[in-house]
Amino acid sequence: MIKDTIVNGAHNAPHRSLYKALGLTREELERPLIGIVSSYNEIVPGHMNLDKITQAVKLGVAMAGGTPIMFPAIAVCDGIAMGHVGMKYSLVTRDLIADSTEAMVMAHGFDGLVMIPNCDKNVPGLLMASARLNIPTIFVSGGPMLAGRVDGKKRSLSAMFEAVGSYKAGTIDDCKLCEYEDKACPTCGSCSGMYTANSMNCLTEVLGMGLQGNGTIPAVYSARIELAKHAGMQIMELVRKNIRPRDIMTKEAIENAITADMALGCSTNSMLHLPAIANECEVEFDLDYVNTISERTPNLCHLAPAGPTYMEDLNEAGGVYAVLKELTKLNLLNTNVMTVTGKTLGENIENSVNKDEETIRPIDNPFTKTGGIAVLKGNLAPDGCVVKRSAVAKEMLVHEGPARVYESEEDCISAIYAGKIQKGDVVVIRYEGPSGGPGMREMLSPTSAIAGMGLDKDVALITDGRFSGATRGASIGHVSPEAVSGGPIAYVKDGDIISINIPEYKIELKVSDEELAKRRQEMPIKRKENITGYLKRYAQQVSSADKGAIINR
């Protein structure tokens, strides 16, 4: 136990004096010290309730015989950061969260950890930290937001962004835009569709690091508080049995997560975060293998933005466990992997039932026979790029059109709102990758503008940046190598024909090798000027998107 190193013995009397300065009693110091890593703050809607979750976890730990000690983790709201320089600071926080958590745990010594994240980068950041530290750990999130309602229909943040596009196109007025603004996000919690935060919280259940319901119980439900108490109690079992994250997040568990990702229709950002988590677990992650799993995994859920159902509906339908139970009917999962329950995944889901076959399609009646995400390759993306094909209109699964090239998200948005994008175009946004951005911004604003203007079935978007989980349409991100690294996307010109074939996993720039070689000599790489501080350091150290945008150490 950690306390044997820093608490017990005469030589540790100075340490004990400082613990006592915190108000801890000798009795508390005799118990296992459990770090409660809380992402609570007052700026992120998905985190504003985490103070209550934290208190519930602390109570659960104390009830089970531990001493809970809270320390914070930072969090960025991707929605608030969207569309301006703030989005450069979103993905980069994933590594700040992992690094700072490692520093706090190693400096102060804990016997176990309860991670309390909710939004996009906190979940993978803390999963990375848990694998790196490898002491008993359990996750409990803040839970998803309830869907809003406009015109009698459920709505969410993606509908809010698309409403801006509709307003710019003149199809809705100020009054309707204000109604969306007032109603799209009605409660605290992670935004209500299968966006990145909810994708990663659901996958935490699949990885075995969270209890049942962690990904789906709405933030405002009392059951969320109960879950937090149970997580607090369960960490004590994990400490007693010495069950650690790397005992749980094995190669087989990560393959299960990719499989569930395909069935749930998760955010493309999972293709950044799962490789990064695997890297910390010392498990090889082959992006090409994603298509192999996708080929055999039916897509069972069409949650927003892909369809009209929301996280609250998935919860009522039986949650993640019900989806996993469907997948076992085709033997698509390794059910022998260990989980934080102390039981195998198979034991956990044994009695799960699909209660709504519209929200969770049965395995023999899927939305599609292939999974929700596809990795495309070709001369435009030799190392791959990613699309959420479950959110792509059938008309756009195969598309060919002229490129409209922009050097930044801002330039693209201006062109869209000025009416410069026409049906059939392929919009290319480059120099927005992990290093070139830097920070690999999400592109929800341009994709929502395209959708709001009714062009999502006619226009494709391609970027070396990334797309929000709230994005729908033929939005292809993570193009690797990125432009700043000399990837072919740096040499695309206006009018070049780009061919996209999602069913065949292909993306091609219809330009000869000779012409590309000539352009490499004539077109200089454009690097951002005046990058300072953490972003400068990040740009120098970050890997390409196909490797998970991990920090090269």
Side-chain angles (χ1 to χ4, degrees), residues 234-266:
Q234 187 60 26
I235 187 58
M236 299 308 298
E237 280 297 304
L238 295 172
V239 170
R240 278 189 276 270
K241 295 177 180 177
N242 197 29
I243 298 175
R244 301 175 181 230
R246 292 197 198 178
D247 299 327
I248 295 170
M249 291 191 289
T250 60
K251 179 180 179 181
E252 293 77 16
I254 290 169
E255 289 182 1
N256 283 347
I258 301 170
T259 301
D261 186 315
M262 297 302 166
L264 286 163
C266 290

mmCIF file of all heavy atoms in Angstrom, residues 234-266:
data_model
loop_
_atom_site.group_PDB
_atom_site.id
_atom_site.type_symbol
_atom_site.label_atom_id
_atom_site.label_comp_id
_atom_site.label_asym_id
_atom_site.label_seq_id
_atom_site.Cartn_x
_atom_site.Cartn_y
_atom_site.Cartn_z
ATOM 1 N N GLN A 234 -16.988 0.486 -5.131
ATOM 2 C CA GLN A 234 -16.313 -0.555 -5.911
ATOM 3 C C GLN A 234 -14.812 -0.348 -6.001
ATOM 4 O O GLN A 234 -14.058 -1.315 -6.116
ATOM 5 C CB GLN A 234 -16.911 -0.630 -7.316
ATOM 6 C CG GLN A 234 -16.399 -1.782 -8.161
ATOM 7 C CD GLN A 234 -16.666 -3.161 -7.552
ATOM 8 O OE1 GLN A 234 -17.607 -3.321 -6.775
ATOM 9 N NE2 GLN A 234 -15.847 -4.136 -7.876
ATOM 10 N N ILE A 235 -14.339 0.892 -5.920
ATOM 11 C CA ILE A 235 -12.894 1.095 -5.971
ATOM 12 C C ILE A 235 -12.206 0.382 -4.811
ATOM 13 O O ILE A 235 -11.079 -0.105 -4.947
ATOM 14 C CB ILE A 235 -12.518 2.606 -5.982
ATOM 15 C CG1 ILE A 235 -11.002 2.787 -6.213
ATOM 16 C CG2 ILE A 235 -12.916 3.291 -4.688
ATOM 17 C CD1 ILE A 235 -10.478 2.180 -7.482
ATOM 18 N N MET A 236 -12.895 0.281 -3.693
ATOM 19 C CA MET A 236 -12.296 -0.401 -2.547
ATOM 20 C C MET A 236 -12.121 -1.890 -2.819
ATOM 21 O O MET A 236 -11.139 -2.506 -2.373
ATOM 22 C CB MET A 236 -13.145 -0.171 -1.292
ATOM 23 C CG MET A 236 -13.265 1.299 -0.895
ATOM 24 S SD MET A 236 -11.651 2.106 -0.762
ATOM 25 C CE MET A 236 -10.907 1.156 0.550
ATOM 26 N N GLU A 237 -13.050 -2.486 -3.576
ATOM 27 C CA GLU A 237 -12.902 -3.882 -3.984
ATOM 28 C C GLU A 237 -11.709 -4.040 -4.919
ATOM 29 O O GLU A 237 -10.949 -5.006 -4.822
ATOM 30 C CB GLU A 237 -14.176 -4.373 -4.672
ATOM 31 C CG GLU A 237 -15.292 -4.768 -3.726
ATOM 32 C CD GLU A 237 -14.894 -5.949 -2.842
ATOM 33 O OE1 GLU A 237 -14.510 -7.004 -3.384
ATOM 34 O OE2 GLU A 237 -14.920 -5.790 -1.604
ATOM 35 N N LEU A 238 -11.568 -3.092 -5.839
ATOM 36 C CA LEU A 238 -10.451 -3.160 -6.776
ATOM 37 C C LEU A 238 -9.120 -3.035 -6.050
ATOM 38 O O LEU A 238 -8.141 -3.715 -6.401
ATOM 39 C CB LEU A 238 -10.588 -2.055 -7.826
ATOM 40 C CG LEU A 238 -11.806 -2.167 -8.755
ATOM 41 C CD1 LEU A 238 -11.924 -0.915 -9.622
ATOM 42 C CD2 LEU A 238 -11.711 -3.398 -9.631
ATOM 43 N N VAL A 239 -9.065 -2.168 -5.039
ATOM 44 C CA VAL A 239 -7.837 -2.022 -4.246
ATOM 45 C C VAL A 239 -7.545 -3.309 -3.491
ATOM 46 O O VAL A 239 -6.410 -3.801 -3.465
ATOM 47 C CB VAL A 239 -7.964 -0.824 -3.281
ATOM 48 C CG1 VAL A 239 -6.809 -0.821 -2.278
ATOM 49 C CG2 VAL A 239 -7.975 0.486 -4.067
ATOM 50 N N ARG A 240 -8.578 -3.888 -2.879
ATOM 51 C CA ARG A 240 -8.378 -5.113 -2.099
ATOM 52 C C ARG A 240 -7.896 -6.269 -2.981
ATOM 53 O O ARG A 240 -7.058 -7.066 -2.576
ATOM 54 C CB ARG A 240 -9.665 -5.492 -1.375
ATOM 55 C CG ARG A 240 -9.881 -4.722 -0.065
ATOM 56 C CD ARG A 240 -11.042 -5.261 0.730
ATOM 57 N NE ARG A 240 -12.306 -4.703 0.273
ATOM 58 C CZ ARG A 240 -12.851 -3.577 0.754
ATOM 59 N NH1 ARG A 240 -12.230 -2.895 1.694
ATOM 60 N NH2 ARG A 240 -14.008 -3.145 0.302
ATOM 61 N N LYS A 241 -8.451 -6.338 -4.204
ATOM 62 C CA LYS A 241 -8.094 -7.429 -5.117
ATOM 63 C C LYS A 241 -6.921 -7.069 -6.032
ATOM 64 O O LYS A 241 -6.466 -7.916 -6.802
ATOM 65 C CB LYS A 241 -9.314 -7.811 -5.963
ATOM 66 C CG LYS A 241 -10.459 -8.389 -5.140
ATOM 67 C CD LYS A 241 -11.671 -8.678 -6.034
ATOM 68 C CE LYS A 241 -12.809 -9.261 -5.224
ATOM 69 N NZ LYS A 241 -14.028 -9.490 -6.071
ATOM 70 N N ASN A 242 -6.469 -5.819 -5.935
ATOM 71 C CA ASN A 242 -5.366 -5.327 -6.751
ATOM 72 C C ASN A 242 -5.631 -5.534 -8.247
ATOM 73 O O ASN A 242 -4.750 -5.952 -9.007
ATOM 74 C CB ASN A 242 -4.037 -5.980 -6.353
ATOM 75 C CG ASN A 242 -2.836 -5.193 -6.894
ATOM 76 O OD1 ASN A 242 -2.908 -3.976 -7.082
ATOM 77 N ND2 ASN A 242 -1.744 -5.895 -7.150
ATOM 78 N N ILE A 243 -6.843 -5.212 -8.679
ATOM 79 C CA ILE A 243 -7.197 -5.253 -10.099
ATOM 80 C C ILE A 243 -6.860 -3.892 -10.696
ATOM 81 O O ILE A 243 -7.380 -2.874 -10.259
ATOM 82 C CB ILE A 243 -8.686 -5.590 -10.298
ATOM 83 C CG1 ILE A 243 -8.989 -6.978 -9.724
ATOM 84 C CG2 ILE A 243 -9.058 -5.524 -11.778
ATOM 85 C CD1 ILE A 243 -10.458 -7.351 -9.760
ATOM 86 N N ARG A 244 -6.011 -3.895 -11.707
ATOM 87 C CA ARG A 244 -5.451 -2.655 -12.240
ATOM 88 C C ARG A 244 -5.907 -2.408 -13.680
ATOM 89 O O ARG A 244 -6.330 -3.334 -14.381
ATOM 90 C CB ARG A 244 -3.924 -2.713 -12.185
ATOM 91 C CG ARG A 244 -3.398 -2.924 -10.760
ATOM 92 C CD ARG A 244 -1.888 -3.102 -10.762
ATOM 93 N NE ARG A 244 -1.388 -3.317 -9.403
ATOM 94 C CZ ARG A 244 -0.375 -2.651 -8.866
ATOM 95 N NH1 ARG A 244 0.260 -1.726 -9.571
ATOM 96 N NH2 ARG A 244 0.017 -2.905 -7.644
ATOM 97 N N PRO A 245 -5.778 -1.152 -14.147
ATOM 98 C CA PRO A 245 -6.247 -0.817 -15.494
ATOM 99 C C PRO A 245 -5.669 -1.687 -16.606
ATOM 100 O O PRO A 245 -6.380 -2.069 -17.530
ATOM 101 C CB PRO A 245 -5.823 0.649 -15.648
ATOM 102 C CG PRO A 245 -5.915 1.191 -14.263
ATOM 103 C CD PRO A 245 -5.419 0.073 -13.384
ATOM 104 N N ARG A 246 -4.394 -2.028 -16.516
ATOM 105 C CA ARG A 246 -3.820 -2.835 -17.598
ATOM 106 C C ARG A 246 -4.231 -4.300 -17.511
ATOM 107 O O ARG A 246 -4.042 -5.054 -18.467
ATOM 108 C CB ARG A 246 -2.297 -2.713 -17.609
ATOM 109 C CG ARG A 246 -1.814 -1.336 -18.011
ATOM 110 C CD ARG A 246 -0.362 -1.372 -18.405
ATOM 111 N NE ARG A 246 0.221 -0.045 -18.374
ATOM 112 C CZ ARG A 246 1.499 0.217 -18.639
ATOM 113 N NH1 ARG A 246 2.319 -0.776 -18.958
ATOM 114 N NH2 ARG A 246 1.960 1.443 -18.592
ATOM 115 N N ASP A 247 -4.802 -4.711 -16.363
ATOM 116 C CA ASP A 247 -5.428 -6.032 -16.291
ATOM 117 C C ASP A 247 -6.754 -6.031 -17.054
ATOM 118 O O ASP A 247 -7.228 -7.081 -17.481
ATOM 119 C CB ASP A 247 -5.720 -6.419 -14.831
ATOM 120 C CG ASP A 247 -4.462 -6.485 -13.986
ATOM 121 O OD1 ASP A 247 -3.402 -6.848 -14.527
ATOM 122 O OD2 ASP A 247 -4.548 -6.151 -12.784
ATOM 123 N N ILE A 248 -7.317 -4.843 -17.193
ATOM 124 C CA ILE A 248 -8.647 -4.679 -17.793
ATOM 125 C C ILE A 248 -8.550 -4.237 -19.246
ATOM 126 O O ILE A 248 -9.170 -4.834 -20.144
ATOM 127 C CB ILE A 248 -9.460 -3.661 -16.967
ATOM 128 C CG1 ILE A 248 -9.723 -4.214 -15.554
ATOM 129 C CG2 ILE A 248 -10.765 -3.289 -17.660
ATOM 130 C CD1 ILE A 248 -10.298 -3.205 -14.586
ATOM 131 N N MET A 249 -7.760 -3.178 -19.517
ATOM 132 C CA MET A 249 -7.663 -2.626 -20.871
ATOM 133 C C MET A 249 -6.605 -3.375 -21.683
ATOM 134 O O MET A 249 -5.550 -2.853 -22.032
ATOM 135 C CB MET A 249 -7.373 -1.128 -20.812
ATOM 136 C CG MET A 249 -8.544 -0.323 -20.281
ATOM 137 S SD MET A 249 -8.346 1.459 -20.507
ATOM 138 C CE MET A 249 -7.055 1.825 -19.313
ATOM 139 N N THR A 250 -6.917 -4.623 -21.985
ATOM 140 C CA THR A 250 -6.033 -5.485 -22.766
ATOM 141 C C THR A 250 -6.293 -5.291 -24.257
ATOM 142 O O THR A 250 -7.202 -4.559 -24.662
ATOM 143 C CB THR A 250 -6.303 -6.946 -22.399
ATOM 144 O OG1 THR A 250 -7.683 -7.239 -22.705
ATOM 145 C CG2 THR A 250 -6.048 -7.205 -20.918
ATOM 146 N N LYS A 251 -5.505 -5.956 -25.074
ATOM 147 C CA LYS A 251 -5.713 -5.919 -26.524
ATOM 148 C C LYS A 251 -7.121 -6.349 -26.874
ATOM 149 O O LYS A 251 -7.791 -5.742 -27.719
ATOM 150 C CB LYS A 251 -4.696 -6.815 -27.221
ATOM 151 C CG LYS A 251 -4.864 -6.860 -28.737
ATOM 152 C CD LYS A 251 -3.830 -7.770 -29.385
ATOM 153 C CE LYS A 251 -4.021 -7.816 -30.894
ATOM 154 N NZ LYS A 251 -3.036 -8.714 -31.559
ATOM 155 N N GLU A 252 -7.612 -7.390 -26.201
ATOM 156 C CA GLU A 252 -8.958 -7.901 -26.478
ATOM 157 C C GLU A 252 -10.023 -6.885 -26.089
ATOM 158 O O GLU A 252 -11.029 -6.716 -26.796
ATOM 159 C CB GLU A 252 -9.187 -9.223 -25.740
ATOM 160 C CG GLU A 252 -8.352 -10.383 -26.220
ATOM 161 C CD GLU A 252 -6.895 -10.335 -25.745
ATOM 162 O OE1 GLU A 252 -6.599 -9.559 -24.799
ATOM 163 O OE2 GLU A 252 -6.061 -11.064 -26.308
ATOM 164 N N ALA A 253 -9.822 -6.194 -24.976
ATOM 165 C CA ALA A 253 -10.787 -5.181 -24.534
ATOM 166 C C ALA A 253 -10.828 -4.016 -25.513
ATOM 167 O O ALA A 253 -11.903 -3.463 -25.800
ATOM 168 C CB ALA A 253 -10.435 -4.690 -23.134
ATOM 169 N N ILE A 254 -9.665 -3.629 -26.031
ATOM 170 C CA ILE A 254 -9.623 -2.521 -26.998
ATOM 171 C C ILE A 254 -10.287 -2.934 -28.305
ATOM 172 O O ILE A 254 -11.009 -2.143 -28.930
ATOM 173 C CB ILE A 254 -8.169 -2.054 -27.199
ATOM 174 C CG1 ILE A 254 -7.695 -1.349 -25.914
ATOM 175 C CG2 ILE A 254 -8.053 -1.113 -28.396
ATOM 176 C CD1 ILE A 254 -6.220 -1.071 -25.851
ATOM 177 N N GLU A 255 -10.117 -4.179 -28.725
ATOM 178 C CA GLU A 255 -10.832 -4.672 -29.908
ATOM 179 C C GLU A 255 -12.337 -4.688 -29.660
ATOM 180 O O GLU A 255 -13.130 -4.375 -30.563
ATOM 181 C CB GLU A 255 -10.326 -6.058 -30.287
ATOM 182 C CG GLU A 255 -8.920 -6.037 -30.870
ATOM 183 C CD GLU A 255 -8.435 -7.412 -31.304
ATOM 184 O OE1 GLU A 255 -9.211 -8.388 -31.162
ATOM 185 O OE2 GLU A 255 -7.297 -7.520 -31.788
ATOM 186 N N ASN A 256 -12.746 -5.035 -28.452
ATOM 187 C CA ASN A 256 -14.173 -4.953 -28.095
ATOM 188 C C ASN A 256 -14.676 -3.525 -28.238
ATOM 189 O O ASN A 256 -15.792 -3.289 -28.715
ATOM 190 C CB ASN A 256 -14.382 -5.418 -26.652
ATOM 191 C CG ASN A 256 -14.348 -6.928 -26.487
ATOM 192 O OD1 ASN A 256 -14.399 -7.681 -27.461
ATOM 193 N ND2 ASN A 256 -14.252 -7.373 -25.247
ATOM 194 N N ALA A 257 -13.850 -2.568 -27.811
ATOM 195 C CA ALA A 257 -14.259 -1.159 -27.882
ATOM 196 C C ALA A 257 -14.432 -0.713 -29.329
ATOM 197 O O ALA A 257 -15.379 0.009 -29.654
ATOM 198 C CB ALA A 257 -13.234 -0.280 -27.169
ATOM 199 N N ILE A 258 -13.521 -1.140 -30.214
ATOM 200 C CA ILE A 258 -13.664 -0.794 -31.632
ATOM 201 C C ILE A 258 -14.948 -1.402 -32.185
ATOM 202 O O ILE A 258 -15.695 -0.763 -32.936
ATOM 203 C CB ILE A 258 -12.449 -1.282 -32.441
ATOM 204 C CG1 ILE A 258 -11.156 -0.658 -31.922
ATOM 205 C CG2 ILE A 258 -12.631 -0.949 -33.922
ATOM 206 C CD1 ILE A 258 -9.895 -1.263 -32.515
ATOM 207 N N THR A 259 -15.229 -2.636 -31.812
ATOM 208 C CA THR A 259 -16.438 -3.319 -32.279
ATOM 209 C C THR A 259 -17.688 -2.596 -31.806
ATOM 210 O O THR A 259 -18.614 -2.335 -32.599
ATOM 211 C CB THR A 259 -16.446 -4.775 -31.777
ATOM 212 O OG1 THR A 259 -15.271 -5.452 -32.262
ATOM 213 C CG2 THR A 259 -17.679 -5.520 -32.261
ATOM 214 N N ALA A 260 -17.735 -2.253 -30.525
ATOM 215 C CA ALA A 260 -18.894 -1.532 -29.991
ATOM 216 C C ALA A 260 -19.022 -0.159 -30.632
ATOM 217 O O ALA A 260 -20.138 0.323 -30.882
ATOM 218 C CB ALA A 260 -18.773 -1.396 -28.478
ATOM 219 N N ASP A 261 -17.892 0.474 -30.894
ATOM 220 C CA ASP A 261 -17.861 1.765 -31.585
ATOM 221 C C ASP A 261 -18.613 1.655 -32.909
ATOM 222 O O ASP A 261 -19.447 2.512 -33.260
ATOM 223 C CB ASP A 261 -16.395 2.140 -31.825
ATOM 224 C CG ASP A 261 -16.187 3.526 -32.399
ATOM 225 O OD1 ASP A 261 -16.902 3.899 -33.333
ATOM 226 O OD2 ASP A 261 -15.287 4.226 -31.910
ATOM 227 N N MET A 262 -18.363 0.595 -33.656
ATOM 228 C CA MET A 262 -19.013 0.389 -34.958
ATOM 229 C C MET A 262 -20.513 0.185 -34.806
ATOM 230 O O MET A 262 -21.310 0.676 -35.607
ATOM 231 C CB MET A 262 -18.392 -0.820 -35.660
ATOM 232 C CG MET A 262 -16.931 -0.656 -35.980
ATOM 233 S SD MET A 262 -16.622 0.779 -37.034
ATOM 234 C CE MET A 262 -14.852 0.924 -36.875
ATOM 235 N N ALA A 263 -20.903 -0.568 -33.787
ATOM 236 C CA ALA A 263 -22.316 -0.850 -33.572
ATOM 237 C C ALA A 263 -23.078 0.378 -33.091
ATOM 238 O O ALA A 263 -24.216 0.620 -33.498
ATOM 239 C CB ALA A 263 -22.469 -1.985 -32.562
ATOM 240 N N LEU A 264 -22.441 1.171 -32.230
ATOM 241 C CA LEU A 264 -23.098 2.353 -31.659
ATOM 242 C C LEU A 264 -23.115 3.535 -32.623
ATOM 243 O O LEU A 264 -23.947 4.433 -32.492
ATOM 244 C CB LEU A 264 -22.372 2.773 -30.376
ATOM 245 C CG LEU A 264 -22.591 1.891 -29.147
ATOM 246 C CD1 LEU A 264 -21.508 2.157 -28.105
ATOM 247 C CD2 LEU A 264 -23.973 2.120 -28.550
ATOM 248 N N GLY A 265 -22.192 3.563 -33.580
ATOM 249 C CA GLY A 265 -22.073 4.728 -34.461
ATOM 250 C C GLY A 265 -21.425 5.893 -33.746
ATOM 251 O O GLY A 265 -21.932 7.013 -33.751
ATOM 252 N N CYS A 266 -20.270 5.638 -33.147
ATOM 253 C CA CYS A 266 -19.605 6.645 -32.317
ATOM 254 C C CYS A 266 -18.935 7.723 -33.168
ATOM 255 O O CYS A 266 -18.836 7.632 -34.380
ATOM 256 C CB CYS A 266 -18.578 5.976 -31.414
ATOM 257 S SG CYS A 266 -19.299 4.962 -30.103
#
